[in-house]
Amino acid sequence: MTKGFTFSLPVSVVVLAIFYIYFTTVFIFIDRWFGLMSSPGLMNAIVFTVVALMCVFSYTVAILRDPGRVPADYMPDVEDDQNPMHEIKRKGGDLRYCQKCSHYKPPRAHHCRVCKRCVLRMDHHCIWISNCVGHANYKVFFIFVLYAVVACIYSMVLLVGSLTNDSLEDELQTGGSFRTAYVVSGLLLVPLSVALSVLLGWHIYLVFHNKTTIEYHEGVRALWLAEKGGTVYKHPYDLGIYENLTTVSTFLLG
């Protein structure tokens, strides 16, 4: 299922950054290091283009795919022996009910104040895709971040290689005309590579523990309350690293 899309400034910034990085990488870094028509240059251009296309494709799907709606007729079955896990409110012990959407919340669902509805297995609302990251689009979001990290690091390697390959004579012949492109690309790629690598590492951690970002922050408070009360807290969906990987891998590959 897809959702409607309206203009978003953060999404426009991401799209411009992708096209700028692609253009400078292929037509400046690769061309000045290998020569675009040489065998190494052509091979690197093709590989980088494939990575960029996968990045654009997964980014587009993450934006347009609905993150997961709660069925209008959803009703928790408290007598279901196959699914004994029922989340309750922190206070009162009642089943979780969304007053804004006027329906019960399935386990791991949360109400998004930006999207103004409940989202299945909601991780967070991401302004950079102008959408929630939830059950239905977590896979493509994760893949997008992975390809984005690969593309940024690949581009940085080509940037550095191109710079080290430039001789003083080449610099004098071009009159420093590419200097601005190198500086802007460096200022863009370094923080992007660091930020996206940290984001990728964070989501790998979440996959290992079968958590969402929301559940992690809720767990920090629950752990503090448990320690304060002299009890032990364990995330209810954490089955151990192997079982978590098996469960989440099925979810991601499905």
Side-chain angles (χ1 to χ4, degrees):
M1 181 185 292
T2 59
K3 71 178 194 69
F5 176 75
T6 56
F7 174 78
S8 168
L9 181 59
V11 170
S12 301
V13 170
V14 173
V15 171
L16 288 174
I18 290 173
F19 278 101
Y20 178 81
I21 291 172
Y22 177 78
F23 179 85
T24 53
T25 301
V26 174
F27 297 103
I28 297 180
F29 308 153
I30 293 177
D31 189 36
R32 286 171 66 81
W33 188 0
F34 303 106
L36 199 52
M37 291 298 104
S38 67
S39 295
L42 195 59
M43 182 189 69
N44 277 280
I46 290 173
V47 172
F48 190 79
T49 298
V50 170
V51 173
L53 286 175
M54 292 302 298
C55 192
V56 170
F57 174 76
S58 55
Y59 183 62
T60 303
V61 175
I63 292 172
L64 297 179
R65 180 171 292 174
D66 191 290
R69 290 181 178 273
V70 177
D73 58 350
Y74 171 77
M75 182 66 67
D77 185 0
V78 295
E79 297 181 356
D80 183 6
D81 295 333
Q82 300 300 318
N83 182 27
M85 182 69 69
H86 297 287
E87 295 181 349
I88 60 175
K89 293 180 180 179
R90 295 188 189 93
K91 296 180 180 179
D94 299 326
L95 291 173
R96 296 165 67 237
Y97 185 85
C98 181
Q99 299 292 342
K100 295 178 181 178
C101 296
S102 300
H103 60 59
Y104 285 100
K105 293 181 184 178
R108 315 187 81 172
H110 294 274
H111 186 88
C112 175
R113 289 175 293 180
V114 180
C115 297
K116 295 181 172 58
R117 64 184 180 86
C118 288
V119 176
L120 294 174
R121 199 181 182 275
M122 180 178 172
D123 187 87
H124 68 288
H125 184 89
C126 179
I127 64 169
W128 301 108
I129 65 172
S130 189
N131 196 6
C132 273
V133 177
H135 174 77
N137 67 346
Y138 185 82
K139 171 184 173 180
V140 289
F141 174 79
F142 186 91
I143 291 173
F144 162 67
V145 175
L146 177 62
Y147 276 115
V149 169
V150 172
C152 286
I153 294 176
Y154 194 177
S155 182
M156 280 185 57
V157 171
L158 292 169
L159 184 154
V160 173
S162 175
L163 274 177
T164 55
N165 191 61
D166 280 345
S167 63
L168 179 61
E169 183 180 350
D170 291 333
E171 183 70 17
L172 292 173
Q173 286 178 354
T174 58
S177 58
F178 293 110
R179 190 176 300 164
T180 302
Y182 279 107
V183 172
V184 173
S185 296
L187 291 174
L188 187 62
L189 286 169
V190 172
L192 269 180
S193 298
V194 173
L196 289 170
S197 296
V198 170
L199 182 61
L200 179 61
W202 169 247
H203 280 281
I204 290 174
Y205 165 82
L206 292 177
V207 167
F208 280 172
H209 293 83
N210 197 6
K211 293 181 181 181
T212 64
T213 299
I214 292 176
E215 289 168 353
Y216 170 81
H217 291 293
E218 289 180 341
V220 171
R221 175 174 170 76
L223 180 62
W224 177 76
L225 290 173
E227 290 179 347
K228 187 177 180 181
T231 58
V232 177
Y233 170 78
K234 185 178 186 300
H235 179 56
Y237 301 102
D238 187 353
L239 307 174
I241 292 181
Y242 177 77
E243 290 295 333
N244 289 341
L245 285 175
T246 303
T247 303
V248 180
S249 294
T250 302
F251 162 64
L252 288 176
L253 297 175

